Amino acid sequence: MGDATKARIGDVARVAGVSVGTVSNVLNRPEIVSAGTRERVHEAIVELGFVPNASARQLREGASRTAGMLVLDIANPFFTEMARGVEDRLIEAGLTMALSSSDADPDRERRVLEQFAQQRLRGVLVTPSRGTGDNLGILLDQGTRVVLLDHRPSGLGLDAVASDDVAGGRIALDHLLGLGHRRIGFLNGSLDIKQCRDRHDGAREAIAAAGGDPDADLVEIEVAAMDAANGYGAMLQLFDDHPELTAVFCVNDLLALGVMRAARERAVSVPADLSVVGYDDVAFAGELAVPLTSVRQPTYRMGAEAAGLLLERGRPRQILFTPELVVRASAAPPG
Amino acid sequence: MGDATKARIGDVARVAGVSVGTVSNVLNRPEIVSAGTRERVHEAIVELGFVPNASARQLREGASRTAGMLVLDIANPFFTEMARGVEDRLIEAGLTMALSSSDADPDRERRVLEQFAQQRLRGVLVTPSRGTGDNLGILLDQGTRVVLLDHRPSGLGLDAVASDDVAGGRIALDHLLGLGHRRIGFLNGSLDIKQCRDRHDGAREAIAAAGGDPDADLVEIEVAAMDAANGYGAMLQLFDDHPELTAVFCVNDLLALGVMRAARERAVSVPADLSVVGYDDVAFAGELAVPLTSVRQPTYRMGAEAAGLLLERGRPRQILFTPELVVRASAAPPG
């Protein structure tokens, strides 16, 4: 109602029954305003068709020509390849990108997202760790566009780009089962991380579909961090505790890199004595001592598409890619 | 002079002969104030011992508990390993990190540093590309702490952490010359990038010291980007144009990864037909089909030390590490 161009901040304050300072806070520092008050002010803004003036708008979105990106681990080439896709697309649009990592630690994630909120970024791309919903609330409350990355949300309210991790887990295991492996190790991250949970589900589905018993046939180890050092340590443990395993599926290629090192040190021949399948098909996968069979995601393109969603002004969209298996030399029939 | 706690922004304006708004701009948006005016205001601030009030200070440094980091290429594991060192140290201090990459493109670098300036970050770590001095001016003018990373400045006015790249180039070539190689390829980045220039100088020094002629014995190719794809392309070119080369030195391990792929495709055996030495000793170097001999820098520690400098309040310091050669299997006497 009313003439939108004429509504002033004082009108918003009057309709919401708060002070002008409070309206300003809702626009500029919403995190210090109670949720109830924020809601009243937002309703008044909508009712009056209030458009913040240029400088307030700038504070809200324009001041920053930067988008934030939060991933699980910046040292994982999967995420930096995706970040390249994001950054190149943003640069085209005259924006820059700020990348941080959560280490899959919810506290660290919360801290980074709070900083993002205070910086009034143009938008934020997030690969969630755990309990991310609460942390995203701050950004959504202040009208910051959020795109979920490498994460398929259960609802449809948010932009998201992901690839089908259940299918990814399934094709990795289908490959190993097809080669004749029956007892298979699985180095995974925390099941609280959606990608890990989905690949876990896909792997178990494949075993069940082949007539096996996932509880007995899949020996799953949850690593503390999904990097090469943890892959190395976890594989040494599997060699000791489960010498019967003839194959191992790694939830990412960094873990597989560590597995290769552990195998070399124990003089276990890949693939004659141990088949290895990775995930992500990062740049070094094809150049390893034993070229790595890996599940490929369109990593760079996922990043570029996610940046595209962030720049759009329409309704939230969700884009789901299908992963594919890249067969190289690291998996073979059991010896 | 005067009682520092009593000096007010109006006093600064009076002494500088400008309006209060201009002083505010110098504190908060210095980029819109002319250099001459900025200087007068800074002098007045120093003369009066003016301390900006809490909210102005917060705008200047406190509002942001974030430090910015700008590297040449976020997809290079060398930089992300360094970023992990930075981030872990910052997190300890309750700060978060925002990482961007310049692609060694001065325009892109300028844009990112301008965004960093507008965000009033706690500090900024930069691996400079070219002509970075001008871009850093904005940050320095507003009092943002700047630490140069993987870059040894000529002057002593700035904090810096680097490793001795001249020594690095020298030990790589000393190794190849010691094995008996005489005609050696060198895949390098732009000589405008200081690390590339320094490694170039070190490589040439080593050849001269061994009684060779750097102009004749070193076949240097400048790649557009220091990544695996460019290493692959440049090596194919060297195979065609310089079949006499028995060894190649790569200014980073990503280029060496591309060289390995080119050699595999051309059925050139490493190291029997071609010796390869890389630089950075990234995580995958030891796990390649032919484990890579590489010049190691204390990457993670360099990042952590740089973050430490950023958190310090003292005079600028410069920390220089010495690189070392990690000998693996990719270099051997010429066949």
Side-chain angles (χ1 to χ4, degrees):
Chain A
M1 63 162 258
D3 181 345
T5 61
K6 289 241 179 106
R8 294 170 155 265
I9 192 163
D11 303 326
V12 174
R14 196 171 30 77
V15 169
V18 301
S19 71
V20 167
T22 299
V23 176
S24 169
N25 283 339
V26 169
L27 294 171
N28 301 318
R29 286 178 293 171
E31 65 277 12
I32 66 170
V33 182
S34 74
T37 302
R38 266 202 317 260
E39 201 167 299
R40 284 214 308 284
V41 169
H42 284 153
E43 279 168 9
I45 286 173
V46 171
E47 187 184 340
L48 293 169
F50 172 71
V51 179
N53 69 30
S55 79
R57 250 206 327 272
Q58 202 176 22
L59 273 168
R60 262 184 75 222
E61 58 176 29
S64 176
R65 306 276 305 159
T66 302
M69 179 171 176
L70 178 65
V71 300
L72 298 181
D73 178 8
I74 46 170
N76 183 342
F78 167 73
F79 287 116
T80 46
E81 171 78 9
M82 199 155 65
R84 290 306 305 244
V86 170
E87 199 173 29
D88 288 351
R89 181 75 187 76
L90 290 176
I91 288 274
E92 274 174 32
L95 301 181
T96 57
M97 182 197 71
L99 179 66
S100 293
S101 64
S102 66
D103 255 347
D105 171 351
D107 288 340
R108 192 156 161 169
E109 175 182 88
R110 184 176 38 73
R111 243 189 291 177
V112 172
L113 291 179
E114 282 172 3
Q115 292 297 336
F116 280 176
Q118 283 178 27
Q119 288 171 43
R120 318 273 139 193
L121 298 174
R122 169 62 70 93
V124 170
L125 305 120
V126 186
T127 301
S129 61
R130 287 163 256 192
T132 307
D134 294 345
N135 300 333
L136 290 178
I138 304 169
L139 292 162
L140 296 172
D141 274 349
Q142 71 181 22
T144 299
R145 186 143 193 151
V146 171
V147 177
L148 299 179
L149 203 57
D150 189 34
H151 182 95
R152 191 180 179 177
S154 28
L156 292 171
L158 284 179
D159 287 288
V161 173
S163 88
D164 185 340
D165 289 301
V166 177
R170 203 187 301 124
I171 60 179
L173 263 287
D174 278 345
H175 183 61
L176 290 171
L177 293 164
L179 289 167
H181 297 279
R182 287 295 165 264
R183 293 273 292 161
I184 297 169
F186 182 16
L187 304 192
N188 201 2
S190 164
L191 294 186
D192 290 336
I193 300 172
K194 187 157 170 50
Q195 301 92 301
C196 298
R197 159 67 70 177
D198 282 353
R199 291 173 202 175
H200 160 97
D201 288 345
R204 293 173 60 90
E205 274 177 24
I207 291 174
D213 172 4
D215 288 331
D217 298 345
L218 196 66
V219 179
E220 188 162 347
I221 290 197
E222 189 176 309
V223 296
M226 292 175 274
D227 57 22
N230 278 275
Y232 171 77
M235 194 65 227
L236 290 183
Q237 190 189 325
L238 280 184
F239 282 139
D240 291 339
D241 299 348
H242 293 278
E244 79 281 10
L245 299 178
T246 58
V248 63
F249 170 41
C250 301
V251 84
N252 75 21
D253 287 346
L254 285 183
L255 288 167
L257 187 65
V259 164
M260 295 295 201
R261 204 180 113 214
R264 182 165 47 79
E265 285 190 12
R266 289 285 175 95
V268 170
S269 170
V270 176
D273 302 330
L274 182 74
S275 285
V276 182
V277 173
Y279 208 108
D280 293 339
D281 192 34
V282 300
F284 62 70
E287 304 303 325
L288 295 182
V290 183
L292 185 66
T293 294
S294 185
V295 179
R296 175 186 287 165
Q297 312 189 59
T299 317
Y300 178 91
R301 207 179 140 206
M302 285 167 69
E305 295 278 359
L309 289 181
L310 188 121
L311 296 167
E312 271 179 18
R313 295 269 160 199
R315 287 168 158 280
R317 283 204 299 142
Q318 307 194 340
I319 302 175
L320 188 67
F321 289 96
T322 302
E324 57 181 353
L325 188 72
V326 179
V327 176
R328 296 201 184 84
S330 63
Chain B
M1 63 162 258
D3 181 344
T5 61
K6 290 239 179 111
R8 291 167 158 267
I9 193 163
D11 303 326
V12 174
R14 196 172 27 78
V15 168
V18 300
S19 71
V20 166
T22 300
V23 176
S24 170
N25 284 338
V26 169
L27 293 171
N28 300 319
R29 286 178 294 171
E31 66 277 10
I32 67 169
V33 182
S34 75
T37 302
R38 265 198 323 255
E39 201 167 297
R40 285 214 308 285
V41 170
H42 284 153
E43 279 167 9
I45 286 173
V46 171
E47 188 184 337
L48 294 169
F50 171 72
V51 179
N53 69 31
S55 80
R57 253 208 324 275
Q58 200 176 23
L59 273 169
R60 263 185 73 223
E61 57 177 30
S64 177
R65 308 272 307 155
T66 302
M69 178 170 178
L70 178 64
V71 300
L72 298 182
D73 178 9
I74 45 169
N76 183 339
F78 167 72
F79 287 116
T80 46
E81 172 79 10
M82 199 155 65
R84 291 306 306 239
V86 169
E87 198 173 30
D88 288 352
R89 182 76 186 75
L90 290 176
I91 288 275
E92 274 174 31
L95 300 181
T96 57
M97 183 196 70
L99 178 66
S100 291
S101 66
S102 66
D103 254 346
D105 171 351
D107 289 339
R108 191 156 161 167
E109 175 182 89
R110 184 178 38 73
R111 240 188 294 178
V112 173
L113 291 179
E114 282 172 2
Q115 291 298 335
F116 280 176
Q118 283 179 27
Q119 287 171 44
R120 321 273 138 192
L121 298 173
R122 170 62 69 96
V124 170
L125 305 119
V126 186
T127 300
S129 61
R130 289 162 255 191
T132 307
D134 294 345
N135 300 334
L136 290 178
I138 305 170
L139 293 162
L140 297 171
D141 276 349
Q142 71 180 22
T144 299
R145 187 144 194 150
V146 171
V147 177
L148 299 179
L149 203 57
D150 190 33
H151 182 95
R152 190 180 181 178
S154 28
L156 292 170
L158 284 179
D159 288 289
V161 174
S163 89
D164 185 339
D165 288 301
V166 177
R170 204 187 301 122
I171 60 179
L173 264 286
D174 278 347
H175 183 61
L176 289 171
L177 293 164
L179 290 168
H181 298 278
R182 287 296 165 261
R183 294 272 291 163
I184 297 169
F186 181 16
L187 304 193
N188 201 1
S190 164
L191 295 185
D192 290 336
I193 299 172
K194 188 159 169 49
Q195 301 93 300
C196 297
R197 158 69 68 178
D198 283 353
R199 291 172 202 176
H200 161 97
D201 289 346
R204 292 173 60 89
E205 274 178 25
I207 291 174
D213 172 3
D215 289 330
D217 298 346
L218 197 65
V219 179
E220 189 163 346
I221 289 196
E222 189 176 309
V223 296
M226 293 175 275
D227 57 22
N230 278 273
Y232 171 76
M235 194 64 227
L236 290 183
Q237 190 188 326
L238 280 184
F239 282 140
D240 291 338
D241 300 346
H242 294 277
E244 80 281 9
L245 299 177
T246 58
V248 63
F249 169 41
C250 300
V251 84
N252 75 22
D253 287 347
L254 285 183
L255 288 168
L257 187 65
V259 164
M260 294 295 202
R261 203 180 112 212
R264 182 164 49 78
E265 285 189 11
R266 289 284 176 96
V268 170
S269 170
V270 176
D273 303 329
L274 182 74
S275 285
V276 182
V277 173
Y279 207 109
D280 293 339
D281 192 34
V282 300
F284 62 69
E287 303 304 325
L288 294 182
V290 183
L292 185 66
T293 294
S294 185
V295 179
R296 176 186 286 167
Q297 314 189 59
T299 316
Y300 179 91
R301 208 180 139 205
M302 286 168 68
E305 296 278 358
L309 289 181
L310 187 121
L311 296 167
E312 272 180 17
R313 296 270 159 196
R315 290 168 155 279
R317 283 203 299 142
Q318 307 193 338
I319 303 175
L320 189 67
F321 289 95
T322 302
E324 58 180 353
L325 189 72
V326 180
V327 177
R328 297 200 182 87
S330 63

